[in-house]
Structure formats: C-alpha cells, structure tokens
Amino acid sequence: MTPFAGLPLVGGLVGLLDTAIAQLAFPLWLRSTLEFVLLAVLGYVLLRFLTRQVLPWVGSLLVTPVVWLVDAVRVVLLLPDLAVARLARRTFDRMPPEIVYAYGSVVMAATDGVQELARKALPALAITRRAHGLLLVGLLVVGFLVWNNAECGPGPECVPPVTQWTTSFTTSQP
C-alpha cells in the first residue's frame, strides 16, 4: 500500500487509486510517484481555487454576521452596566459610580474596534487572489512536511511516509 493513503481527507481515494494501479502490476515506487505527482497537482489546483474564489467570497460574506455578533456581545456585556446604573438610581437615588461609566466606555470602544477590524480585515481577504504561485507551492511543501513528520507507517516503530516511499525505490514489491 502506498504511504500517501494516510493523507487526511484524500487518503481513502489514494488507497483506491493505488489498488487500481496495482492491478496493472506497476511497482510500488512508480505507483507512489504517480500518486505524489497527482496529489501535488490537485493540491495546487485546490489552493488556487481557495485563494482566488473561496476566501474573497467568504471574507465579504462574513462582514455583516460578524458585525451583528459583535453587537449582540456588546448588549450582553453592557447588561451589568445597565443593572448597576438602575440599581444606583432607583434604590439609592444617586448617580452610578464612575467605574460603571468607565466600564461602559471600555466595552463600547472595544466592540467598535472589533467591528471596524471586521469591516476592514474580512474584505481584505480578496488580496489572496493575487497570491503568487510559488507561495502556494511553498504552502503545499510545508503542509506535506508537517504531514510527513506527524504520520507513521505500519509497524512497531514510526516510519515517516517519505522514508517508506524512498525505500520502495530499492525494494521490488508489486
């Protein structure tokens, strides 16, 4: 079985592809190499689609819900302010302590800042449309290296998938 069958999300499909190619009597090293090239091309196409289509769309789509969510959080955070102010006015017939006003000001400033950040940062995801191809290749390489270091092959000791793949060049498994 190919070491790439352990990839998250696509490992099952790679396993099925490997089984189909194995029926053609290709050696493991050739099957693994073909699968690696196919996975690299598919990964690049997927990253290109995500950066050109999905991220800019999601960025513009999320602005309104995030602003509404921050408004809801603002209301919840200002409820103690309201409760203390009403208690001070109705029970003690006095102005609320200054700390109540300071708390309310901090909550308003913080939530206004988060809303402004959302209004500017989320649409800025459209900049990913201009992501250079080499950056995407670099992301693929980093993702592959992280997967390789986190995944172990079959057996009692941990054998990274790339080590399995490179040793398949010297073995004559079908």
Side-chain angles (χ1 to χ4, degrees):
M1 181 62 79
T2 180
F4 302 112
L7 277 169
L9 301 176
V10 294
L13 293 174
V14 172
L16 291 173
L17 177 66
D18 186 62
T19 303
I21 295 175
Q23 299 295 325
L24 299 173
F26 284 1
L28 177 63
W29 69 269
L30 183 57
R31 292 189 329 244
S32 297
T33 303
L34 290 174
E35 291 158 3
F36 174 74
V37 170
L38 179 67
L39 286 169
V41 169
L42 287 176
Y44 182 82
V45 168
L46 178 65
L47 276 178
R48 179 60 80 188
F49 174 72
L50 286 173
T51 57
R52 294 230 172 152
Q53 303 295 324
V54 175
L55 285 177
W57 174 74
V58 166
S60 62
L61 184 72
L62 286 179
V63 172
T64 302
V66 167
V67 168
W68 287 353
L69 178 66
V70 171
D71 278 337
V73 168
R74 177 191 329 240
V75 168
V76 169
L77 290 176
L78 287 176
L79 285 176
D81 180 89
L82 176 66
V84 170
R86 282 195 173 183
L87 180 70
R89 288 198 176 141
R90 288 188 179 164
T91 306
F92 303 113
D93 199 27
R94 304 176 69 184
M95 291 283 292
E98 189 64 35
I99 186 116
V100 173
Y101 294 113
Y103 171 77
S105 295
V106 167
V107 167
M108 291 299 290
T111 54
D112 285 344
V114 171
Q115 283 183 336
E116 189 64 27
L117 179 67
R119 285 188 181 105
K120 289 182 180 177
L122 289 173
L125 288 175
I127 197 170
T128 60
R129 283 191 174 124
R130 294 180 276 163
H132 197 278
L134 289 176
L135 175 66
L136 300 179
V137 170
L139 286 173
L140 279 173
V141 168
V142 167
F144 179 75
L145 291 174
V146 167
W147 166 75
N148 182 55
N149 289 330
E151 189 71 24
C152 288
E157 66 275 345
C158 183
V159 179
V162 171
T163 305
Q164 293 175 22
W165 181 31
T166 55
T167 57
S168 73
F169 287 107
T170 58
T171 62
S172 60
Q173 284 182 324

